[in-house]
């Protein structure tokens, strides 16, 4: 699952951190009404039940997002996206779950991909972290001020830098051929 950020530049943070560390650090960047998506290839029954009990909604596929669950169905038949509206549920509620619940069958972290967006007249992309715990970069929209990005980066032990949006760069190069 991924979400292209639609600006010519994006913030990129690289490093290694746990899902708990990320959620603790990133919650302050999201506002009531924003939506966080957690993509899990192999969620345990206990994880699914706990997230649903907190008010998350489970989806096998979400239109408008690049989701690789359909592509990877043979390897991950139980892949799922959990949508969490910020406000009615907070990351602190997820973080209060027992560590034994916040995991997947094949992964000690409870998600593989993370996306956040703001609902307005349209969906405004905020964050995208594809392959979150296997080398993927965290990308943040330039809607965030440099100070906020640097605070998040420091909390994660990573380094933030502004880069040319790799998704838009790839798309513009493929159109010019």
């Amino acid at each position: 699952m991924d979400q292209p950020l639609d600006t010519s530049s994006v913030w990129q943070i690289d490093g290694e951190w746990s899902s708990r560390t990320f959620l603790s650090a990133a919650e302050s960047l999201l506002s009531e009404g924003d939506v966080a998506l957690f993509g899990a290839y192999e969620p345990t029954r206990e994880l699914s039940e706990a997230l649903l009990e907190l008010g998350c909604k489970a989806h096998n596929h979400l239109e408008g997002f690049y989701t690789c669950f359909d592509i990877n169905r043979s390897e991950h038949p139980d892949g799922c996206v959990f949508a969490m509206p910020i406000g009615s549920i907070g990351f602190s509620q997820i973080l209060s779950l027992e560590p034994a619940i916040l995991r997947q069958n094949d992964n000690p972290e409870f998600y593989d991909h993370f996306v956040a967006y703001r609902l307005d007249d349209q969906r405004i992309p905020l964050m995208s972290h594809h392959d979150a715990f296997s080398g993927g970069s965290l990308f943040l929209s330039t809607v965030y001020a440099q100070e906020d990005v640097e605070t998040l980066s420091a909390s994660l032990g990573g380094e933030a830098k502004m880069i040319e949006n790799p998704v838009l760069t790839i798309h513009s190069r493929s159109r010019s051929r």
Side-chain angles (χ1 to χ4, degrees), residues 1-2 41 66-73 113 130-131:
M1 174 186 73
D2 205 0
Y41 284 125
Y66 167 70
T67 57
C68 52
F69 295 117
D70 290 339
I71 297 167
N72 295 322
R73 253 328 144 201
H113 313 297
H130 188 77
D131 291 338

Side-chain angles (χ1 to χ4, degrees), residues 4-10 12 139 163-177:
L5 303 178
D6 55 2
T7 56
S8 60
S9 297
V10 295
Q12 177 181 352
F139 294 105
I163 63 164
E164 185 177 6
N165 187 331
V167 175
L168 293 181
T169 302
I170 291 168
H171 288 293
S172 65
R173 285 184 188 148
S174 65
R175 278 187 253 145
S176 64
R177 289 182 187 171

Side-chain angles (χ1 to χ4, degrees), residues 56-69:
C56 293
K57 297 203 178 343
H59 304 276
N60 288 328
H61 179 78
L62 288 171
E63 291 298 323
F65 291 93
Y66 167 70
T67 57
C68 52
F69 295 117

Side-chain angles (χ1 to χ4, degrees), residues 19-160:
S19 56
R20 287 182 171 277
T21 300
F22 174 73
L23 293 182
S24 294
E27 184 170 33
S28 66
L29 294 179
L30 299 175
S31 303
E32 187 165 342
D34 292 348
V35 177
L37 303 176
F38 303 98
Y41 284 125
E42 297 287 334
T44 63
R45 181 179 51 78
E46 294 82 9
L47 173 62
S48 296
E49 289 173 358
L51 292 176
L52 294 173
E53 191 173 299
L54 288 177
C56 293
K57 297 203 178 343
H59 304 276
N60 288 328
H61 179 78
L62 288 171
E63 291 298 323
F65 291 93
Y66 167 70
T67 57
C68 52
F69 295 117
D70 290 339
I71 297 167
N72 295 322
R73 253 328 144 201
S74 61
E75 289 179 49
H76 306 285
D78 298 319
C80 188
V81 177
F82 297 95
M84 182 185 110
I86 303 297
S88 61
I89 310 168
F91 289 164
S92 58
Q93 289 175 280
I94 291 176
L95 293 171
S96 71
L97 295 172
E98 290 294 321
I101 291 175
L102 283 181
R103 60 176 308 282
Q104 297 182 67
N105 288 319
D106 66 339
N107 188 339
E109 301 295 347
F110 81 95
Y111 61 89
D112 297 290
H113 313 297
F114 175 85
V115 165
Y117 62 91
R118 180 159 293 148
L119 283 176
D120 203 349
D121 292 335
Q122 58 186 0
R123 185 174 56 220
I124 300 168
L126 299 173
M127 298 180 201
S128 184
H129 197 190
H130 188 77
D131 291 338
F133 306 105
S134 54
S137 294
L138 170 62
F139 294 105
L140 290 94
S141 169
T142 54
V143 72
Y144 293 115
Q146 181 173 352
E147 179 182 334
D148 294 333
V149 173
E150 289 173 349
T151 299
L152 174 64
S153 181
S155 297
L156 297 174
E159 184 177 333

